[in-house]
Each structure stands twice: as structure tokens, then as C-alpha cells.
């Protein structure tokens, strides 16, 4: 080969490589399918069971564990001693996980019935040794308002409502229901300084994705001193993890007051159902006259506890609907323009997890920042929970919100279910969300309907 041909050949190779090795650009926004709320962990199902599907791609063994966890999640437990599913109570709030988390979604804002999903957290002012709430002597951190035969519940809790009318500038009105909670018949007197926090069971799907959002990404959205002067702060909650023995970022619970799914599930078994387990091996009535005195703890074995944890970790997210509808698309733009997306972040990304491809490195749309925000006096419970003040709540994820009427029959919204529809929930917003609510109220009736149509599509 002559020197001339060699030079021409090299120039050709360089030209080809120059074309092939161009720097990749950003993937265009319109290249994503907006229906995939949970990325690969999205399920297309519009039925009442849309929250109850496993993520795609589970191995045969993982599918078996998911199914076992599902069985325990739906199992009614009974008082000890019993040959199967023993350990309920003696004091408790409900008899199974599914009794509160209806179809893996929200519940019903009532107390003391088999389908009730409300509980009343209590504490005294101050902080415990880990910076958390101070238990109330004789009650702990939660009122168990039911008991097995022969035992006395800690107290009865009820809720009633009165109306409050909200008027839009265009003359339209909405009637909100204002809850009033009553704690009656305590088995011993509650201290006068007791702080109360009513809470309704939240949905349990999509939690494996939220677990895998990197802490650094969550913190990148925090603005505790409102440095950008937009009126939106947002800060993380750091809570004590009894398994790890240290403070961790709170992601779960209505005040981001739990860091991991294992602690979330274990706490629910022990506090809500009175079932001891390896994480919380002590009865919820320890030191009280309702303790059963049996030496059967932990009542739930480690294998079943972890199966239920695995179940909620591997529940898929339902797909969005009507994403090309003009009204929905207009509502999506208005949602951002009026400021809702400042806290309800449309998009987050999960970290890499080679064990679960459907949860790994996913672009998801939960519409939350997982941070705490001041929601104003109307929604305040006045009960601090670690670094969450008495008026702060974690931004609730909005994915699946339009399917609640199907999964739950009658849908209820906000931390205590006081809102009977999405419009009422918006009108309850205050504090850092006050400006966004006012912007919503200033919209025309058709524009407000567009925002609601967009939210119904999530």
C-alpha cells in the first residue's frame, strides 16, 4: 500500500469515527411515555385492583415471597394463644393490614370498626432520647381503641364534622367538612398536656420506588431557609431507626417519620394490631394492665415479617390515563403555573439496584418531593414528630390519586380523610401551599376543572 492510500484511508476512518462518536444529547422530553408513572414498574389496570399488582420481572422465588406477603397482608389475626395467625392484641386498632389499607390504597376515616382506617397518635411535649415523640404513660404513642375479649381498650375515639363554606372569586362555593375529634372513656386519665394526631392509613403501592430515590436527590430539593424567596421551604425529616441504631432520612409515614419499609411494617404489626415481631418484640401494652402475660414473643416470625415488607416493596404503580386529552394537558400546564409542582414534584429518579430491574434507575412520576412542608393552621395537628413540626406534613405522592374512587369506593383525601374529593383537598391547603391554593381559586371554573381533570389522570 502506498503512503498516499494509507493517508486517505486514515482520513476516512477518522471521518467515520467522527460521525459515530458524536456526544449524545439529552433524550427529548416528548420521547418519554407520560403514562409510565412508575417507569418499568408501571401496570396498566383500571380496575379496583389497580394498586395490587407485583412489579414486572420478579423471579419465581421473588414472586412466591410476594404472594406469601400478600396472604399475610390480607390475613385476619386472632387472639393468642391460637394455632395459626396468633397474637392479635390484647389491645389493637384493627385485625389485618388490608382492613386499613383497602385494596392496598387508602381507607375510611372512622375509628373502631372492622373497616376503619384511622388511628390517634399521642405524645407529651418534648423529645425522647432519640429526638422523637415522648410516650404518654399508660398509652405509649398511639391509642389502641379496640381489645380482645376480657381486656379493656385504652380509650374510644370518634370524629364528627361541621361545615365551612369556601367561596371562589367567581361566586362558586364549596362546602368543606371540619373534623372534631373526641377521645372518651380512657381506662386511666390522659394527662392534660397530651398531644393528639389523627391519621388515616395511606396507600402502600410504589413504596419500593420511593425507597430507591437517592437521599442526595431528595436533599437537593430542600430549601429550609427559603433561599430562593419563593415561599416554599421544604426540609427532610431525620428519624431514629431501631434496626440500624442511628438516625436515617424519613421517607414513609404522613410526617416522613419512618425511614425504612421494614420498620414501617414492623411498627404497624406491633402498634396497630398488637402483634410482636423481631423488630418490636415488646407488647404494645407493656407495663399496662392489658398485657397478656404470655411468653410467646415475637408472635410474628422474621420470615413472615420480611415477606410482608417485600410485598409492599414490590407493588407496582398504576399507569396514567387520558394523557392526550386536551383538557388534561391544559390542566397539567396550569398545575405547574400556579405553583403546585413546587412541592408535588412531577419527576424523580431511582438509584441503581441490580436485584430489581423494574425499580432500578427509573424515571418516575410520584408528584412528591418526600420533604416536610408547613401546611398551615387548618391542617396542623400540633404534635411534633422528630423534625416535623406540628403544622408540617410530608408532601403526599399523587400517583394513583384518580383511581381512589375505584379502589376504595368512596375516596377520602388528606392525612385524616377530611376531604371528600380532590377539590376539597386543594382548598384545605395553607402555609407554604397557601399561594398555590389562592392561584387555583383565581382560575376560571373551566381552568379549575382542567386542573382536576389532570389530577384525575394520575
Amino acid at each position: 500500500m502506498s503512503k498516499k492510500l494509507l493517508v486517505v484511508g486514515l482520513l476516512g476512518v477518522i471521518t467515520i469515527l467522527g460521525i459515530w462518536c458524536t456526544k449524545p444529547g439529552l433524550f427529548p422530553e416528548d420521547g418519554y411515555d407520560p403514562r409510565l408513572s412508575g417507569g418499568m414498574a408501571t401496570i396498566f389496570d383500571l380496575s379496583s385492583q389497580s394498586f395490587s399488582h407485583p412489579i414486572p420481572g420478579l423471579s419465581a422465588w421473588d414472586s412466591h415471597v410476594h404472594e406469601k406477603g400478600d396472604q399475610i397482608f390480607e390475613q385476619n389475626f386472632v387472639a393468642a394463644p391460637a394455632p395459626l395467625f396468633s397474637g392479635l392484641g390484647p389491645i389493637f386498632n384493627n385485625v389485618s393490614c388490608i382492613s386499613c389499607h383497602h385494596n392496598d390504597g387508602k381507607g375510611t376515616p372512622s375509628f373502631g370498626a372492622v373497616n376503619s382506617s384511622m388511628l390517634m397518635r399521642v405524645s407529651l411535649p418534648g423529645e425522647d432520647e432519640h429526638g422523637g415523640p415522648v410516650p404518654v404513660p399508660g398509652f405509649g404513642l398511639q391509642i389502641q381503641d379496640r381489645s380482645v375479649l376480657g381486656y379493656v381498650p385504652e380509650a374510644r375515639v370518634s370524629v364528627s364534622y361541621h361545615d365551612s363554606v369556601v367561596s371562589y372569586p367567581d361566586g362558586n362555593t364549596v362546602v368543606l367538612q371540619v373534623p372534631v375529634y373526641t377521645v372518651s372513656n380512657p381506662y386511666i386519665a390522659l394527662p392534660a398536656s397530651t398531644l393528639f394526631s389523627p391519621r388515616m392509613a395511606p396507600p402502600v403501592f410504589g413504596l419500593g420506588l420511593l425507597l430507591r430515590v437517592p437521599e442526595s436527590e431528595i436533599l437537593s430539593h430542600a430549601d429550609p431557609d427559603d433561599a430562593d424567596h419563593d415561599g416554599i421551604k421544604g426540609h427532610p425529616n431525620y428519624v431514629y431507626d431501631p434496626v440500624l441504631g442511628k438516625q436515617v432520612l424519613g421517607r414513609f409515614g404522613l410526617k416522613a417519620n419512618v425511614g425504612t419499609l421494614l420498620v414501617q411494617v414492623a411498627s404497624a404489626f406491633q402498634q396497630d394490631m398488637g402483634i410482636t415481631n423481631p423488630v418490636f418484640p415488646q407488647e404494645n401494652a407493656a407495663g399496662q394492665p392489658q398485657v397478656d402475660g404470655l411468653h410467646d414473643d415475637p408472635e410474628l416470625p422474621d420470615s413472615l415479617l420480611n415477606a410482608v415488607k417485600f410485598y409492599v416493596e414490590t407493588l407496582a404503580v398504576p399507569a396514567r390515563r387520558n394523557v392526550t386529552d386536551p383538557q388534561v394537558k391544559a390542566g397539567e400546564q396550569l398545575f405547574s403555573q400556579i405553583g403546585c409542582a413546587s412541592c408535588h414534584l412531577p419527576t424523580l429518579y431511582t438509584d441503581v439496584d441490580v436485584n430489581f430491574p423494574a425499580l432500578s434507575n427509573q424515571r418516575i412520576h410520584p408528584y412528591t418531593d418526600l420533604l416536610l412542608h408547613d401546611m398551615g393552621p387548618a391542617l396542623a395537628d400540633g404534635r411534633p414528630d422528630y423534625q416535623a413540626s406540628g403544622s408540617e406534613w410530608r408532601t403526599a405522592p399523587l400517583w394513583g390519586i384518580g383511581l381512589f374512587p375505584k379502589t376504595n369506593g368512596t375516596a377520602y383525601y388528606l392525612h385524616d380523610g377530611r376531604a371528600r374529593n380532590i377539590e376539597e383537598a386543594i382548598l384545605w391547603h395553607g402555609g407554604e401551599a397557601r399561594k398555590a391554593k389562592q392561584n387555583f381559586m383565581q382560575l376560571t371554573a373551566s381552568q379549575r376543572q382542567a386542573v382536576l381533570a389532570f389530577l384525575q389522570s394520575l
Side-chain angles (χ1 to χ4, degrees):
M1 181 182 296
S2 69
K3 184 180 290 184
K4 186 176 181 180
L5 286 175
L6 179 60
V7 170
V8 172
L10 286 172
L11 287 174
V13 170
I14 291 172
T15 302
I16 292 171
L17 289 176
I19 294 172
W20 288 354
C21 297
T22 53
K23 184 179 179 180
L26 292 175
F27 192 76
E29 185 69 23
D30 58 5
Y32 291 98
D33 187 338
R35 297 174 300 173
L36 302 181
S37 298
M40 284 178 62
T42 303
I43 290 293
F44 289 81
D45 179 6
L46 303 181
S47 76
S48 62
Q49 301 302 307
S50 55
F51 299 161
S52 301
H53 294 276
I55 60 174
L58 289 179
S59 67
W61 172 253
D62 285 346
S63 295
H64 166 74
V65 177
H66 179 95
E67 180 61 27
K68 176 57 67 177
D70 188 8
Q71 293 173 4
I72 301 303
F73 193 87
E74 297 182 7
Q75 179 64 51
N76 287 349
F77 282 76
V78 297
L84 292 173
F85 310 114
S86 176
L88 179 69
I91 52 176
F92 60 95
N93 296 111
N94 222 320
V95 299
S96 70
C97 305
I98 201 72
S99 296
C100 291
H101 304 277
H102 302 168
N103 286 331
D104 299 308
K106 282 176 171 283
T108 303
S110 64
F111 295 89
V114 68
N115 64 342
S116 295
S117 306
M118 292 285 291
L119 57 82
M120 183 66 79
R121 292 282 174 86
V122 292
S123 60
L124 295 178
E127 297 179 352
D128 70 1
E129 67 272 25
H130 300 300
V134 178
V136 178
F139 293 88
L141 293 171
Q142 182 170 316
I143 291 177
Q144 281 81 28
D145 58 349
R146 300 173 66 185
S147 66
V148 301
L149 186 64
Y151 292 84
V152 180
E154 290 181 326
R156 300 295 184 188
V157 187
S158 60
V159 58
S160 59
Y161 300 93
H162 61 83
D163 292 344
S164 175
V165 178
V166 177
S167 298
Y168 287 105
D170 62 10
N172 288 311
T173 59
V174 173
V175 178
L176 304 181
Q177 57 173 10
V178 182
V180 178
Y181 294 96
T182 302
V183 177
S184 60
N185 299 322
Y187 81 102
I188 60 173
L190 279 157
S193 58
T194 301
L195 306 174
F196 299 92
S197 179
R199 303 183 188 186
M200 188 176 74
V204 296
F205 64 86
L207 302 186
L209 291 165
L210 298 181
L211 179 67
R212 288 166 174 79
V213 176
E215 182 170 343
S216 59
E217 178 169 358
I218 297 171
L219 298 183
S220 73
H221 300 295
D223 185 16
D225 299 319
D226 194 20
D228 58 5
H229 306 294
D230 66 349
I232 305 297
K233 296 182 178 179
H235 68 90
N237 200 359
Y238 279 93
V239 302
Y240 181 73
D241 187 293
V243 176
L244 301 174
K246 65 178 184 180
Q247 299 283 328
V248 300
L249 176 70
R251 297 169 184 264
F252 307 109
L254 296 168
K255 283 182 177 275
N257 50 304
V258 181
T260 67
L261 291 178
L262 178 61
V263 173
Q264 178 73 58
V265 171
S267 175
F269 270 111
Q270 191 245 13
Q271 284 292 305
D272 302 353
M273 299 164 64
I275 299 172
T276 58
N277 54 74
V279 176
F280 296 104
Q282 192 176 53
E283 292 279 357
N284 60 14
Q288 301 177 203
Q290 296 97 333
V291 71
D292 61 14
L294 301 174
H295 300 286
D296 58 352
D297 303 312
E299 294 158 326
L300 188 72
D302 180 69
S303 58
L304 297 185
L305 174 66
N306 277 285
V308 176
K309 173 257 183 185
F310 188 82
Y311 171 68
V312 298
E313 185 175 358
T314 51
L315 281 174
V317 176
R320 279 190 61 194
R321 289 82 52 207
N322 306 319
V323 295
T324 60
D325 183 285
Q327 184 187 37
V328 170
K329 297 183 75 170
E332 183 174 9
Q333 289 186 335
L334 288 167
F335 182 82
S336 295
Q337 290 172 5
I338 63 177
C340 303
S342 297
C343 301
H344 291 286
L345 294 182
T347 303
L348 294 173
Y349 296 86
T350 66
D351 215 338
V352 173
D353 186 339
V354 296
N355 295 313
F356 297 97
L359 304 177
S360 175
N361 196 26
Q362 294 299 303
R363 185 179 191 267
I364 61 176
H365 306 290
Y367 288 87
T368 177
D369 57 8
L370 296 176
L371 296 172
L372 298 168
H373 294 275
D374 182 351
M375 294 299 293
L379 290 178
D381 63 358
R383 178 181 180 272
D385 203 334
Y386 290 95
Q387 297 175 26
S389 74
S391 61
E392 291 180 323
W393 299 93
R394 184 197 66 163
T395 305
L398 299 182
W399 51 14
I401 191 173
L403 290 170
F404 288 158
K406 283 193 174 181
T407 59
N408 295 64
T410 301
Y412 300 95
Y413 305 86
L414 298 177
H415 69 276
D416 59 358
R418 68 179 67 186
R420 294 161 292 189
N421 54 55
I422 297 175
E423 183 178 22
E424 289 185 17
I426 294 172
L427 296 176
W428 273 107
H429 280 51
E432 296 175 40
R434 180 172 176 270
K435 184 178 179 181
K437 181 190 71 174
Q438 289 179 326
N439 289 339
F440 174 77
M441 295 182 69
Q442 292 293 333
L443 298 175
T444 65
S446 62
Q447 288 174 320
R448 293 197 299 270
Q449 288 305 311
V451 173
L452 297 176
F454 161 66
L455 292 169
Q456 292 286 356
S457 78
L458 298 180

